Amino acid sequence: MAVVNYGGSTGYGRAYRERLRHQWGVVDVQDCAKVARGLVQLGRADAARIAIRGGSAGGWTTVAALVHSDVFAGGVAHYAITDPESWAAETHDFESRYLDGLVGPLPETRQRYTDRSPLLNAARASGPCLMLHGLEDAIVDVSQAERFTAELDKHGKQWALLTFAGEQHGWRREETIVAVLEAELAFYGLIFGLETPGVPPLTLKGRA
């Protein structure tokens, strides 16, 4: 597994952090795809068996990479934003202006939101997606996952959505953490043709 400190990450100086300014959904996706391709070139990864995963902002990068690159055979997104413009209107006041610096102010830069939205570009998904979301999430409402999977379904893409009662923006309960990890393992087994003994089965919806 590779952990990508894509442009915008802290600890590498201000210039590196500023790479993500107004480029969320572009720089992060490109950096993750570049790492994946590099691993293939080094012989450390199978080009046909690369998945991307992440939670929250990393969940956004996961679904954005699925629709804006052709590198990944599947993705696992934990409590992910899937449509930035609707999220900006739905989230609580503290986060409501968060995207001004990451994408741009609305309505002036609305086209950026449209172009980068995984929801609005779901037809381009390069592989199946497993969405995992807490039903009490006040930061990213579960409707973000529901609308994205509905759009994947409409375009004949494979998907699964698991929701968890009592969970918020991040997993806190032991039983949820176990269920999430088992579902993720089952997902990789399905898309990569691997045996996953002892793990509850997962069913993907949509056309194979």
Side-chain angles (χ1 to χ4, degrees), residues 9-187:
S9 300
T10 59
Y12 302 94
R14 181 173 181 177
Y16 193 78
R17 189 174 71 248
E18 288 294 313
R19 286 184 64 225
L20 200 62
R21 182 168 179 79
H22 293 166
Q23 295 297 314
W24 201 38
V26 178
V27 164
D28 48 335
V29 169
Q30 291 174 347
D31 286 358
C32 289
K34 186 175 183 179
V35 168
R37 292 190 183 102
L39 291 171
V40 172
Q41 291 171 359
L42 291 171
R44 298 179 65 181
D46 180 346
R49 288 184 170 186
I50 301 177
I52 184 168
R53 69 184 299 273
S56 194
W60 152 268
T61 300
T62 294
V63 291
L66 275 184
V67 305
H68 294 306
S69 78
D70 59 2
V71 176
F72 301 102
V76 180
H78 303 241
Y79 33 92
I81 297 169
T82 66
D83 184 57
E85 184 171 359
S86 63
W87 177 78
E90 293 165 355
T91 193
H92 54 63
D93 289 344
F94 181 73
E95 300 271 359
S96 62
R97 308 304 298 182
Y98 187 61
L99 298 186
D100 285 10
L102 288 172
V103 182
L106 287 166
E108 301 95 309
T109 60
R110 175 163 286 120
Q111 191 59 48
R112 290 182 198 166
Y113 287 75
T114 301
D115 292 343
R116 298 178 196 177
S117 169
L119 174 70
L120 299 180
N121 293 279
R124 300 169 55 186
S126 60
C129 189
L130 170 61
M131 304 292 291
L132 303 158
H133 218 103
L135 291 176
E136 309 302 324
D137 193 335
I139 296 175
V140 181
D141 191 79
V142 68
S143 62
Q144 290 277 319
E146 292 169 341
R147 292 197 298 265
F148 183 62
T149 53
E151 200 67 16
L152 289 174
D153 197 71
K154 185 171 79 174
H155 293 288
K157 305 295 183 176
Q158 289 191 294
W159 59 275
L161 169 61
L162 299 181
T163 59
F164 299 91
E167 291 289 1
Q168 302 176 36
H169 197 67
W171 314 126
R172 292 165 176 80
R173 299 179 178 182
E174 180 181 350
E175 60 268 30
T176 303
I177 294 169
V178 170
V180 162
L181 291 173
E182 289 182 337
E184 191 165 345
L185 180 57
F187 177 77

